[in-house]
Amino acid sequence: MDIRKYLKSSKLDTNQNNETIEETGESTSKKQKTLHFAAESSCDLMNADAVDETWSEFDIGHHLGRNTKTGDDMKYNMLTKPFKPQLTYDFKKDISEISKRSFRHAWLAQYSPWLAYSPKLKGALCIYCVLFPQTVHRGIQGAFITSAFTKYKDFHEAARKHISSRWHVDSTSDAENFMAVIRNPNKEIICQLDSSIDKQVKENREKLFSIVSALLFCASNDLAIRGKDDSKGKFQQLLKFRIEAGDIILKQHFESCAKNAMYTSHQTQNDLIKISGELIRSELISDVNKSPGFSILADETTDISGTEQLSIGVRFVDI
């Protein structure tokens, strides 16, 4: 009996076993690669689900720097129903390396309706300034306008400065005009601009009313307006007293206005006193001219510096 066939078969079996082992190894490697790919795919899906939880087409971060591409319908939706994170949103996970503090959900209500939070950019933005950007003639537009604000340590101070900035005021006016056109397309643009100007004039007059009243009180009662400096005079004390007494308009004005637009400097005080004097003089002259008869008294004197002073008095019948 030829046993060589067994030897050949054993060699063949050995080769087949080796090939089977190699194939098994390759299959195992392929399976491991497949499992690894499946694990990566599942991780990607989990990450995608995590992004979807905070993603919204109304996120103001998606519209930063693309004003011409944002349609009117989207602008209207952004203004009427802007995206707000849920109360359970964890702002701490969005903390950047620059700031160690996180955004607070209560700020959205405090600085409504212009403030919005963008989970995409992980910071605060101004809805009006992003959707209706203004041309830069002077200065540099920064946080809230061209980039998200993340330095939350100085958030309130930065928010007040932004509210009083010319860019924010103009963007707010553009947003209000845009909403008026969308809600009432038949109304003329000229009428809308006139209404916006009238509204701004009315607000400015309300702010100046308290300031002028305090100034006239000092003038009519012979009280010194200024002390050793502008911050210690009777005029400034009267303004503080009005705020403590509940003058909300004056309080909001001082909190939101720029340092160079408070209308309380000594130069503004002198201008207001001069304007008040001209108004009183014009009213007196009008009453004198309406009277059936009047007389003029004139007296001249020299002051301590040698300058001649001429005072004129008028007597008339007030009917």
Side-chain angles (χ1 to χ4, degrees), residues 178-194:
F178 172 81
M179 293 295 292
V181 171
I182 295 297
R183 292 171 178 173
N184 189 5
N186 297 325
K187 190 174 182 180
E188 296 181 358
I189 300 297
I190 297 177
C191 296
Q192 296 175 15
L193 292 176
D194 291 341

Side-chain angles (χ1 to χ4, degrees), residues 45 94 103 160 191 195 228 304 307:
L45 291 173
D94 294 342
F103 186 86
R160 286 192 291 266
C191 296
S195 300
K228 294 182 179 179
I304 192 172
T307 303

Side-chain angles (χ1 to χ4, degrees), residues 204-299:
N204 291 336
R205 285 178 176 175
E206 290 176 350
K207 295 174 183 178
L208 282 173
F209 179 82
S210 300
I211 297 174
V212 174
S213 296
L215 191 63
L216 293 179
F217 180 84
C218 293
S220 59
N221 290 277
D222 295 332
L223 297 177
I225 297 175
R226 295 184 290 272
K228 294 182 179 179
D229 52 45
D230 289 346
S231 61
K232 296 182 180 179
K234 302 250 184 338
F235 173 67
Q236 294 289 346
Q237 297 300 322
L238 278 174
L239 294 178
K240 293 179 181 179
F241 177 76
R242 289 186 69 98
I243 293 175
E244 292 177 357
D247 194 331
I248 299 176
I249 296 176
L250 185 62
K251 181 180 179 181
Q252 292 177 347
H253 168 62
F254 286 153
E255 289 179 350
S256 61
C257 70
K259 296 296 182 182
N260 61 348
M262 297 181 69
Y263 305 113
T264 57
S265 65
H266 63 277
Q267 183 177 358
T268 303
Q269 294 172 15
N270 294 337
D271 291 340
L272 291 175
I273 291 174
K274 183 179 179 181
I275 294 172
S276 300
E278 292 176 354
L279 291 174
I280 293 173
R281 186 182 299 110
S282 298
E283 187 175 350
L284 285 174
I285 293 174
S286 177
D287 292 340
V288 169
N289 290 332
K290 294 178 182 178
S291 175
F294 62 89
S295 63
I296 297 177
L297 303 176
D299 187 17

Side-chain angles (χ1 to χ4, degrees), residues 162-185:
H162 176 73
I163 293 173
S164 61
S165 66
R166 190 73 245 172
W167 296 314
H168 179 78
V169 174
D170 293 342
S171 296
T172 302
S173 178
D174 291 345
E176 292 176 351
N177 293 333
F178 172 81
M179 293 295 292
V181 171
I182 295 297
R183 292 171 178 173
N184 189 5

Side-chain angles (χ1 to χ4, degrees), residues 4-21:
R4 289 179 296 179
K5 63 179 181 181
Y6 295 102
L7 294 175
K8 290 181 180 179
S9 62
S10 63
K11 289 181 179 180
L12 292 172
D13 294 339
T14 304
N15 293 333
Q16 290 176 356
N17 292 334
N18 290 336
E19 290 176 358
T20 304
I21 292 171

